[in-house]
């Protein structure tokens, strides 16, 4: 499922330390926490915010000693609740050159999301503990395994979550840029 992202986001109502202990007991190991500063842009040829349901984001991420350019188109396009997205991401050598290029092409900044992320890998799922400036703490489950369909990936995420015996808040159907901009897509 290259170029397709399937994930689910929640507020964690259980202790993060308890969940980390459960992940450790099952053989998972944490990656080093990283700071990700994501700058989101609007396109001059198509206003990403104009549609009743936002389905596209363009992002420049600076993370520790690296940077990337990312575009996501969420599906189903016209539905408020999205199940997955096309995701195209590539490493860039110079984030400032990308920002200046976007500005020269009349892309406009929308918002910046500044977060610290700690990722754990287990059973084809990435569990990301995110602390987002001005928004709080979240947990994301992103499918990284093998599946023939989006539905299979969603089922595997749900089975994984069910196996953890943790308390989660309601699923959040908004990305961090939605939240930073005060947009509720649901």
């Amino acid at each position: 499922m290259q170029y397709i992202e399937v994930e689910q986001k929640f507020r964690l109502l259980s202790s993060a330390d308890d969940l980390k202990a459960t992940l450790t007991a099952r053989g998972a190991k944490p990656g080093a926490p990283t700071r990700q500063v994501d700058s989101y842009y609007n396109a001059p040829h198509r206003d990403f915010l104009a549609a009743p349901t936002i389905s596209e984001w363009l992002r420049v991420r600076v993370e520790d000693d690296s940077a990337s350019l990312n575009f996501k188109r969420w599906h189903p396009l016209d539905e408020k609740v999205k199940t997955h997205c096309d995701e195209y991401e590539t490493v860039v050598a110079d984030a400032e050159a990308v920002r200046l290029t976007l500005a020269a092409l009349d892309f406009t900044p929308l918002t910046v999301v500044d977060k610290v992320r700690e990722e754990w890998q287990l059973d084809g799922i990435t569990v990301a503990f995110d602390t987002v400036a001005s928004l709080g703490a979240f947990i994301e489950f992103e499918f990284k395994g093998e599946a023939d369909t989006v539905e299979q990936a969603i089922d595997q995420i749900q089975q994984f979550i069910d196996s953890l015996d943790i308390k989660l808040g309601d699923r959040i159907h908004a990305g961090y840029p939605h939240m930073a901009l005060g947009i509720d897509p649901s």
Side-chain angles (χ1 to χ4, degrees), residues 42-81:
N42 204 354
H45 65 287
R46 181 171 62 243
D47 182 359
F48 296 158
L49 303 180
T53 303
I54 298 169
S55 296
E56 298 174 289
W57 293 116
L58 178 66
R59 174 192 82 206
V60 175
R61 170 174 287 167
V62 175
E63 180 175 10
D64 296 336
D65 295 328
S66 66
S68 63
L69 179 67
N70 176 288
F71 175 76
K72 293 184 182 187
R73 180 177 293 124
W74 290 92
H75 299 283
L77 289 174
D78 296 327
E79 298 296 324
K80 289 183 178 185
V81 175

Side-chain angles (χ1 to χ4, degrees), residues 108-167:
T108 55
L110 288 172
T111 191
V112 174
V113 174
D114 188 344
K115 70 178 177 281
V116 174
R117 171 169 280 187
E118 181 183 317
E119 290 186 342
W120 295 63
Q121 309 290 326
L122 183 64
D123 299 336
I125 305 290
T126 296
V127 180
F129 294 87
D130 289 339
T131 303
V132 185
S134 302
L135 297 176
F138 302 87
I139 186 163
E140 285 188 0
F141 300 91
E142 183 175 347
F143 183 76
K144 296 285 190 175
E146 296 294 323
D148 293 326
T149 65
V150 168
E151 292 76 18
Q152 286 177 349
I154 292 168
D155 288 344
Q156 288 186 42
I157 290 173
Q158 191 58 56
Q159 290 173 20
F160 181 85
I161 292 169
D162 292 345
S163 77
L164 294 175
D165 191 32
I166 56 172
K167 292 186 194 242

Side-chain angles (χ1 to χ4, degrees), residues 167-180:
K167 292 186 194 242
L168 299 171
D170 291 334
R171 182 165 171 212
I172 298 169
H173 295 283
Y176 298 131
H178 288 96
M179 298 165 81

Side-chain angles (χ1 to χ4, degrees), residues 16-37:
D17 290 337
D18 289 349
L19 176 53
K20 290 175 183 181
T22 298
L23 293 170
T24 299
R26 289 181 54 184
K29 294 194 179 358
T34 61
R35 181 175 179 215
Q36 300 174 339
V37 180

